[in-house]
Amino acid sequence: MKRMKKIIIRGGRPLSGEVTVNGAKNSIVALMPAAILADAPVILGGVPDILDVRSLIEILESMGSVVKFENNVLVIDSSKLKSIPMLNGKINSLRASYYLMGALLSKFGEVVVGLPGGCNLGPRPIDLHVKGFEALGARVFHEKEVVCLQTGPEGLKGNHIFMDTVSVGATINIILAAVKATGKTVIENAAREPEIIDVATLLNNMGAKIRGAGTNEIHIEGVEQLSEARHFLIPDRIEAGTYLAMAAAVGEGVTVKNVLYEHLESYLLKLEEMNVKVTISENSIFVPAQGKLKTINVKTSPYPGLATDLQQPMTSLLLKSHGKAELVDMIYEGRIGHVSELQKMGANISIDKNKIVIEAPNKLKGTEVFASDLRAGASLVIAGLMADGVTTIRNAKFILRGYDRMIEKLTQLGADISLIEMDNEEPKIEERGKQWLTI
Ligand code: EPZ
């Protein structure tokens, strides 16, 4: 019998006070694989204590890394790391385990991993990652869910790679594979997310030669050796954006701390369009109680555009606006797992081809809902805070994978929220709705 985690929220209570954002999940899931490229300890500060970090620790320890994690500081010593196939278990618990392909290919010249869905991970493919590895001289074989990568005796060779689609994961994975390749690699049409700069910063501190991270053209000069280093993570812009949406929805004066507003410019502009008033300081943003919110239309796009990860939290906030809103996720059309659940709560929301359409404002009523993925779960938490009555969010483990101590943080802000764990059969397929591949 599986243990099912549920979040219970009694809505309608105002939030006020301060909440501090942790280090970026989408950085740390790449920084940990990057750290194994050093044959000496790498120290990472500001690390969020989330399930994805715990899973990656288990994976690295299973390969021989010595890992210490306390007070948000992670020390990873991979001097005794061994190249072993990782076919199942924790490797399947997070999509970002694909970064181990680039890191292990770089370190050992070979990788055998089990990836749920193999090369074509359902709506989350990795064909661009594979194309990058092949461009650097790796040979790729995959049979169902097992992906094998191997280089010839001469190892990886730098190359000029043009990315057909802007991809965060593929950009980072190619950097991981190229930092110790012979010669120069150029990645054109690279993704520009801040997390890519974070990974390049750590690798350069370890002795790599990466230029242009954060732009759409990245140059990498291969080096022989990468050494120990220490690095402090950038704040999690998606966690920050999620708390800003909560503060705008039900807040009566909330300060979101440890925020680099530059990483949220497009999101802050959309909030401003909605008539959300905020005060931006050096590394925090204050959100007072809000007046009447205006409805807007939303389209996600690669950074510095509006992050697809904030489309779902913004959907819930828009339920409080006035008028008709249309949201189009240009990156993941299938990212609609929250819509059916918001409908259960009484929201006037529907899907029209590739658009999420909302007629607002909506009076939400607490009920039992299902989190189909991380950010859909976040959107249901926001809706639960807004709703009358009690909302029970099943499959809460997804939310805990990406948000450090969300229950404690929201309780601190005055929410009536708790986490319960109970024996429960797996949710029936129809309940899962369109199960978007978990991240
Ligand atoms: C990263 O996923 C993030 N995950 C996602 O955050 C985020 O939503 C996404 O980037 C977009 O910003 C991590 O960083 C761990 P992509 P990633 O490759 O790298 C297509 C969260 O909630 N594509 O940038 O997997 C893909 O289908 C997670 O924190 C290919 O076609 O996303 C998508 O349409 C969810 N082939 C587009 O590119 C590939 O080989 C962008 O995806 C790879 C991607």
Side-chain angles (χ1 to χ4, degrees), residues 361-434:
N362 290 262
K363 203 97 196 78
L364 299 181
K365 204 166 161 6
T367 185
E368 179 159 291
V369 289
F370 181 78
S372 59
D373 62 79
L374 168 58
R375 307 303 176 184
S379 138
L380 297 176
V381 170
I382 299 171
L385 293 169
M386 291 158 55
D388 291 336
V390 178
T391 300
T392 303
I393 304 173
R394 301 177 67 194
N395 217 27
K397 70 175 185 289
F398 280 149
I399 302 169
L400 304 176
R401 284 196 29 220
Y403 290 96
D404 189 353
R405 285 171 304 116
M406 176 187 262
I407 307 296
E408 295 83 340
K409 291 181 179 180
L410 282 174
T411 303
Q412 189 69 30
L413 288 173
D416 180 347
I417 182 169
S418 54
L419 177 73
I420 60 166
E421 202 165 342
M422 54 202 301
D423 285 339
N424 215 320
E425 72 291 344
E426 267 290 283
K428 295 180 199 60
I429 295 295
E430 63 281 358
E431 268 190 314
R432 287 181 168 188
K434 210 164 161 9

Side-chain angles (χ1 to χ4, degrees), residues 25 95 98 126-128 167-169 309 331-332 335 375:
K25 167 185 88 78
R95 169 173 163 80
Y98 54 37
I126 54 164
D127 55 305
L128 295 174
S167 160
V168 176
D309 302 343
I331 295 179
Y332 291 117
R335 210 166 188 174
R375 307 303 176 184

Side-chain angles (χ1 to χ4, degrees), residues 6-315:
K6 295 183 181 181
I7 288 178
I8 317 277
I9 303 171
R10 180 176 297 283
R13 293 173 61 138
L15 301 183
S16 62
E18 293 185 350
V19 59
T20 301
V21 169
N22 286 90
K25 167 185 88 78
N26 291 347
S27 278
I28 190 61
V29 295
L31 292 168
M32 291 172 74
I36 71 173
L37 293 177
D39 295 327
V42 169
I43 303 172
L44 301 171
V47 178
D49 190 351
I50 52 177
L51 291 182
D52 277 4
V53 168
R54 296 285 172 177
S55 299
L56 276 170
I57 289 173
E58 276 187 51
I59 294 168
L60 295 185
E61 285 177 333
S62 70
M63 299 175 64
S65 282
V66 176
V67 184
K68 272 211 310 291
F69 184 37
E70 53 190 358
N71 304 327
N72 300 102
V73 175
L74 195 56
V75 183
I76 300 174
D77 181 348
S78 302
S79 45
K80 299 194 175 51
L81 194 76
K82 294 181 290 304
S83 164
I84 52 169
M86 290 167 298
L87 297 178
N88 39 43
K90 278 295 173 194
I91 195 83
N92 292 342
S93 66
L94 70 153
R95 169 173 163 80
S97 46
Y98 54 37
Y99 288 131
L100 289 166
M101 292 194 293
L104 293 170
L105 193 60
S106 221
K107 193 165 179 90
F108 297 119
E110 60 177 8
V111 194
V112 180
V113 282
L115 291 175
C119 263
N120 302 308
L121 286 168
R124 307 289 301 279
I126 54 164
D127 55 305
L128 295 174
H129 301 236
V130 169
K131 182 181 163 232
F133 297 144
E134 286 171 332
L136 296 172
R139 289 192 301 279
V140 184
F141 320 88
H142 60 93
E143 179 65 23
K144 294 210 189 73
E145 309 222 326
V146 178
V147 182
C148 308
L149 305 167
Q150 219 163 32
T151 61
E154 65 293 349
L156 296 172
K157 274 199 177 45
N159 202 340
H160 196 125
I161 301 169
F162 180 82
M163 308 299 292
D164 307 341
T165 310
V166 173
S167 160
V168 176
T171 300
I172 291 176
N173 236 341
I174 294 168
I175 291 174
L176 291 170
V179 282
K180 290 178 72 181
T182 311
K184 183 167 183 168
T185 296
V186 177
I187 307 173
E188 271 201 69
N189 198 25
R192 299 163 52 191
E193 271 69 2
E195 292 75 25
I196 296 168
I197 302 173
D198 220 16
V199 175
T201 305
L202 168 66
L203 287 167
N204 283 342
N205 290 346
M206 289 162 62
K209 291 192 178 120
I210 306 165
R211 276 185 311 105
T215 73
N216 57 12
E217 184 166 313
I218 300 174
H219 292 242
I220 301 152
E221 196 65 51
V223 295
E224 300 266 313
Q225 182 77 27
L226 291 172
S227 58
E228 75 275 7
R230 57 184 57 225
H231 176 72
F232 205 88
L233 271 62
I234 56 168
D236 192 316
R237 58 195 169 97
I238 308 301
E239 184 186 15
T242 305
Y243 283 104
L244 288 171
M246 292 170 178
V250 296
E252 285 183 356
V254 175
T255 303
V256 182
K257 299 173 76 173
N258 192 28
V259 182
L260 286 177
Y261 74 87
E262 300 88 333
H263 290 170
L264 282 162
E265 277 194 297
S266 51
Y267 184 69
L268 290 168
L269 285 172
K270 296 309 280 186
L271 291 180
E272 193 181 346
E273 261 184 68
M274 288 180 71
N275 198 28
V276 172
K277 305 282 182 236
V278 299
T279 308
I280 296 174
S281 312
E282 179 71 15
N283 66 358
S284 67
I285 297 178
F286 176 68
V287 185
Q290 298 298 314
K292 188 169 168 188
L293 301 183
K294 280 181 19 221
T295 193
I296 58 169
N297 291 332
V298 174
K299 249 193 190 133
T300 65
S301 60
Y303 193 87
L306 183 71
T308 166
D309 302 343
L310 289 171
Q311 171 262 103
Q312 291 155 301
M314 181 159 258
T315 303

